[in-house]
Amino acid sequence: MAISTQILPLVKEPERLENRLAEIPPEPGVYFMRDRSDRIIYIGKSRKLRSRVRSYFRDGYNKSERITTMVKLVTEIEFIVTDTEAEALALEANLIKQHQPYFNVLLKDDKKYPYLCITWSENYPRIFITRKRQFGKEKDKFYGPYTDAGLLREILRLCKRIFPQRQRPQPLFKDRPCLNYDLGRCPGVCQQMMLPEEYRKIVQKVAMVFQGRTQELIDILTQQMNAASENLNFESAARIRDQISGLKSLTADQKVSLPDDTVSRDAIALAADEQHACIQLFQIRAGQLVGRLAFVADAQAESGAILQRALEEHYQTADSVEIPIEILVQHELPDSEILADVLTQRKGKKVTILTPLRQTKAELIEMVERNAQYELQRMQKFGDRNHQAMQDLAAILDLPDVPHRIEGYDISHIQGSNAVASQVVFIDGLPAKQHYRHYKIKNPTVTAGHSDDFASLAEVIQRRFRKYGDDPQLSRLGNPDWPDLIMIDGGKGQLSSVVAVLQEMNLLEDLRVVSLAKQREEIFLPGESKPLTTDSEQPGVQLLRRLRDEAHRFAVSFHRQQRSDKLKRSRLDEIPGLGHHRQKQLLGHFRSVDYIRQATTPQLAEVSGIGPRLAQEIYDYFHPT
């Protein structure tokens, strides 16, 4: 008789559950919940690990449907003990970003909301607007996400007029500044006509605007203006006067009626439907609305937990001066005490988290909630169109249900050179970029002058699903990474190559795969010689086209990056003693070969792994005598 080695959930093994709970200490830390595939499905924090984890398995405990479902899947519990609640909060946030657990509240990386970035990692920091929040450099600072991209651009434009600063990412000329210097808009950063320390003081003034410290900056400039006037330096006083006037124009018509204008406070609220939660955070300083931020999350958790996650992520990288002394929340937070204590330590002053129920503060929360409701309505209109497209696609392909997760694949190369592939993911009809993947084609027969898209696609699909080949039924059970539909960019040939590899892995019956040909937007099914009869403009086909175009864009961008990196390395390969690792260090520090060429020997020597002797060789290579 065969003995089953299947791991059972802890709720079905009370003795093992009790033993595991007894092993968890009553100290602060972070805990992990794993399922029988050994995948982390939930990460949490607590001041007392044992009591928090035990509460999930207690009968009669008020648990949501989401948590109840999660508990039934847990087969193992792990934990990490920390010295303080602050360490637990930071560790939890980092682990959630790393593992993206299915049952945690995950804020969506919604590209319609922009950020402002200041590259403090550079000697002469750049200030720019971006929709990609990437923490490549620890010192770089992001502000946002902002709801009004137009207003953000206008504020940045005014800041660049008020405070002369770097206008271009790279110099226009090698030996002289551009017209921006003559117009007084740039202090000649490209030619290092201002010391980095002095330039950083200018950038810090711009940062104060986005930190909500405009009035504080006005007070500082007023003192400087008066001092310049007393010293009969009227030209400098007039310039500072104009800066003050420009800053006052930024805060005009932004007054918020509150009884205490001296208190800095944030107010956060959300509006949610069955799928999404739209969160708004209003930043109020000295009675003025200085910032309005927006977040989006899946509405799978309680409102308080969603607000808690938004606040934790927002304040994680905030400077102490950016933390308000009062935070108004729409719903009570599950771990408000931990968050308040951590923010109090970082602020150096008491930070209070309140859930107002009446009078002016409650009215402020209602206003924030109203704005969140407007954002939700906009998302719902777009979501309705997506749902209609998914229903149409399900009808076209005769799917049993509306496809929740759809994956698209494409290949990019130039006659076989630098061949790469992309995997893009749409969830509920929307791009889920946290699940996108790149692949470098490893097939030795795919080389410059010899391409093979069929073999390349087969390789990518095999690498994507090889871990599920042994037991596809187990892999599908409760697995959020299992696609409801796979779309291949191409025609019958590309589809046949993918079908063949899925048959070898015994996965063809568990995966629905189609291809979309570019020429006539034709949809092919496995084993069918003719495409489906469809209209290229019907919603389901348009959804596949969006998926195909996104897969193509993502593959092409990665291919260009590979070619660019190869070109950069080929130029640096000529420098003796500069191996591949040191080339990566240089490019990571300076961002481009042009900046490496302009760097001085001491600046080159600052890079990790580049000593004075190698720095001199690099400088001599770009500056031959």
Side-chain angles (χ1 to χ4, degrees):
M1 183 177 68
I3 300 175
S4 175
T5 59
Q6 185 178 11
I7 302 175
L8 296 176
L10 286 172
V11 292
K12 294 186 177 181
E13 295 187 283
E15 184 177 350
R16 186 164 70 92
L17 171 61
E18 189 58 38
N19 292 336
R20 190 66 182 121
L21 293 176
E23 295 171 353
I24 301 175
E27 297 182 36
V30 175
Y31 55 91
F32 309 75
M33 305 285 196
R34 292 184 180 272
D35 65 6
R36 60 182 174 181
S37 298
D38 201 37
R39 185 177 61 248
I40 296 175
I41 59 176
Y42 188 77
I43 298 174
K45 63 181 176 304
S46 178
R47 285 182 170 180
K48 296 182 179 180
L49 285 169
R50 180 183 296 169
S51 58
R52 171 60 64 84
V53 175
R54 186 178 290 276
S55 68
Y56 288 98
F57 300 92
R58 188 179 300 134
D59 292 336
Y61 183 70
N62 186 20
K63 296 189 290 285
S64 66
E65 183 179 348
R66 177 181 66 100
I67 295 300
T68 301
T69 303
M70 179 200 74
V71 169
K72 293 177 181 178
L73 298 175
V74 175
T75 60
E76 185 56 271
I77 304 169
E78 298 177 5
F79 59 87
I80 298 176
V81 174
T82 59
D83 291 332
T84 64
E85 293 91 341
E87 292 178 2
L89 180 65
L91 179 59
E92 180 205 36
N94 291 332
L95 291 173
I96 288 175
K97 285 185 179 180
Q98 177 183 349
H99 295 285
Q100 297 278 303
Y102 180 73
F103 288 98
N104 276 96
V105 175
L106 300 176
L107 300 184
K108 291 187 173 181
D109 185 18
D110 199 323
K111 293 298 186 290
K112 71 179 180 181
Y113 296 133
Y115 294 84
L116 181 99
C117 178
I118 302 180
T119 59
W120 290 110
S121 59
E122 301 177 2
N123 287 335
Y124 294 94
R126 291 177 295 133
I127 306 175
F128 58 91
I129 296 172
T130 178
R131 295 179 187 271
K132 294 182 179 180
R133 193 184 188 193
Q134 299 175 337
F135 296 101
K137 297 293 181 80
E138 187 175 339
K139 294 182 180 179
D140 291 351
K141 179 68 179 175
F142 288 84
Y143 298 94
Y146 293 94
T147 58
D148 192 333
L151 179 60
L152 176 60
R153 284 192 292 268
E154 179 64 16
I155 292 175
L156 182 58
R157 185 185 67 82
L158 289 174
C159 284
K160 288 186 175 182
R161 292 186 60 183
I162 296 169
F163 302 107
Q165 57 189 275
R166 177 178 178 175
Q167 301 286 330
R168 305 179 64 89
Q170 294 186 6
L172 189 61
F173 306 107
K174 291 183 179 181
D175 54 353
R176 60 187 174 90
C178 65
L179 186 61
N180 286 312
Y181 174 76
D182 300 317
L183 295 174
R185 295 180 179 176
C186 175
V189 168
C190 61
Q191 304 303 319
Q192 301 181 7
M193 301 175 73
M194 174 180 279
L195 292 173
E197 296 77 15
E198 293 300 317
Y199 182 70
R200 293 172 82 89
K201 291 179 181 178
I202 295 177
V203 177
Q204 183 58 55
K205 292 176 181 177
V206 179
M208 290 177 71
V209 174
F210 292 95
Q211 290 170 344
R213 302 164 62 197
T214 307
Q215 187 57 51
E216 181 184 341
L217 179 57
I218 290 174
D219 294 341
I220 293 173
L221 292 176
T222 300
Q223 294 176 4
Q224 295 177 357
M225 180 182 67
N226 293 335
S229 180
E230 291 174 2
N231 294 329
L232 305 182
N233 191 349
F234 299 116
E235 182 178 349
S236 177
R239 185 177 65 255
I240 298 174
R241 178 203 61 201
D242 293 340
Q243 291 176 343
I244 293 173
S245 177
L247 288 170
K248 287 182 177 179
S249 69
L250 290 177
T251 58
D253 302 326
Q254 291 187 4
K255 195 76 172 176
V256 177
S257 177
L258 286 174
D260 188 354
D261 287 351
T262 63
V263 175
S264 63
R265 51 171 61 90
D266 284 352
I268 188 169
L270 62 79
D273 57 16
E274 294 180 354
Q275 291 183 317
H276 304 106
C278 291
I279 308 145
Q280 294 268 302
L281 188 148
F282 280 28
Q283 299 170 302
I284 300 162
R285 307 291 183 268
Q288 291 179 331
L289 179 62
V290 299
R292 178 181 160 206
L293 311 183
F295 309 89
V296 179
D298 288 328
Q300 58 177 344
E302 300 84 354
S303 297
I306 295 174
L307 295 179
Q308 172 107 17
R309 183 76 186 105
L311 289 174
E312 289 174 354
E313 181 158 320
H314 171 63
Y315 293 124
Q316 185 180 16
T317 57
D319 297 330
S320 60
V321 294
E322 300 169 38
I323 299 173
I325 63 174
E326 186 175 272
I327 302 171
L328 306 179
V329 297
Q330 177 190 24
H331 303 282
E332 290 189 8
L333 309 183
D335 291 305
S336 61
E337 292 183 3
I338 293 180
L339 181 58
D341 289 347
V342 170
L343 295 180
T344 296
Q345 293 174 19
R346 290 174 52 192
K347 179 74 174 176
K349 296 180 181 179
K350 177 68 175 176
V351 176
T352 306
I353 300 178
L354 301 173
T355 308
L357 299 177
R358 57 180 181 273
Q359 296 182 342
T360 309
K361 293 180 181 179
E363 293 174 358
L364 175 60
I365 286 293
E366 290 177 3
M367 181 181 71
V368 180
E369 181 182 358
R370 205 159 53 243
N371 282 272
Q373 189 66 46
Y374 290 139
E375 282 295 303
L376 180 63
Q377 290 173 1
R378 289 174 54 191
M379 181 174 288
Q380 286 172 335
K381 289 181 181 178
F382 187 69
D384 289 341
R385 291 197 296 269
N386 274 332
H387 188 67
Q388 180 184 359
M390 289 188 294
Q391 285 183 321
D392 185 52
L393 182 60
I396 293 172
L397 302 178
D398 194 24
L399 300 176
D401 297 299
V402 171
H404 169 65
R405 179 185 174 112
I406 311 175
E407 294 182 0
Y409 294 85
D410 190 20
I411 305 294
S412 181
H413 57 84
I414 295 180
Q415 305 228 333
S417 65
N418 298 316
V420 298
S422 66
Q423 171 198 327
V424 301
V425 179
F426 277 23
I427 294 180
D428 295 331
L430 297 175
K433 298 195 176 184
Q434 69 271 25
H435 299 301
Y436 284 19
R437 296 292 181 268
H438 284 134
Y439 296 89
K440 293 181 182 179
I441 300 303
K442 299 179 180 180
N443 191 326
T445 64
V446 179
T447 58
H450 181 80
S451 62
D452 190 338
D453 286 0
F454 299 167
S456 297
L457 281 169
E459 174 190 330
V460 171
I461 295 298
Q462 196 275 336
R463 287 163 61 182
R464 164 67 174 94
F465 293 102
R466 61 187 168 194
K467 62 181 178 181
Y468 302 119
D470 294 335
D471 194 345
Q473 292 301 321
L474 179 61
S475 62
R476 290 187 61 181
L477 184 61
N479 186 352
D481 297 330
W482 191 265
D484 300 298
L485 178 66
I486 294 174
M487 192 252 359
I488 303 299
D489 183 7
K492 290 185 292 184
Q494 286 85 349
L495 179 62
S496 297
S497 64
V498 170
V499 167
V501 74
L502 289 176
Q503 283 178 327
E504 292 176 5
M505 301 169 69
N506 297 318
L507 292 176
L508 186 58
E509 293 183 0
D510 298 282
L511 287 169
R512 190 64 186 269
V513 57
V514 301
S515 68
L516 181 65
K518 288 187 178 72
Q519 195 169 20
R520 298 179 182 177
E521 312 295 356
E522 295 174 327
I523 300 174
F524 288 91
L525 300 180
E528 300 292 335
S529 59
K530 294 183 179 181
L532 293 175
T533 303
T534 57
D535 181 354
S536 62
E537 298 303 317
Q538 68 183 102
V541 180
Q542 288 183 336
L543 175 59
L544 282 185
R545 287 167 57 186
R546 289 198 300 271
L547 181 71
R548 189 266 317 280
D549 293 344
E550 179 69 353
H552 180 72
R553 179 201 66 80
F554 198 52
V556 169
S557 65
F558 185 52
H559 179 248
R560 286 173 179 165
Q561 176 190 331
Q562 294 298 303
R563 282 190 293 139
S564 176
D565 290 346
K566 186 175 181 180
L567 179 62
K568 290 175 184 177
R569 288 197 297 271
S570 67
R571 296 173 66 183
L572 297 175
D573 281 339
E574 300 176 8
I575 303 175
L578 192 62
H580 180 66
H581 177 69
R582 287 173 175 170
Q583 291 178 23
K584 289 179 64 177
Q585 297 287 94
L586 275 174
L587 290 170
H589 184 85
F590 290 103
R591 304 284 182 92
S592 74
V593 175
D594 290 334
Y595 282 145
I596 296 174
R597 182 191 297 110
Q598 295 165 18
T600 63
T601 303
Q603 289 173 334
L604 291 167
E606 291 177 359
V607 179
S608 176
I610 307 294
R613 182 182 300 177
L614 182 55
Q616 188 62 51
E617 290 187 10
I618 297 170
Y619 183 84
D620 292 341
Y621 171 81
F622 287 110
H623 304 83
T625 56

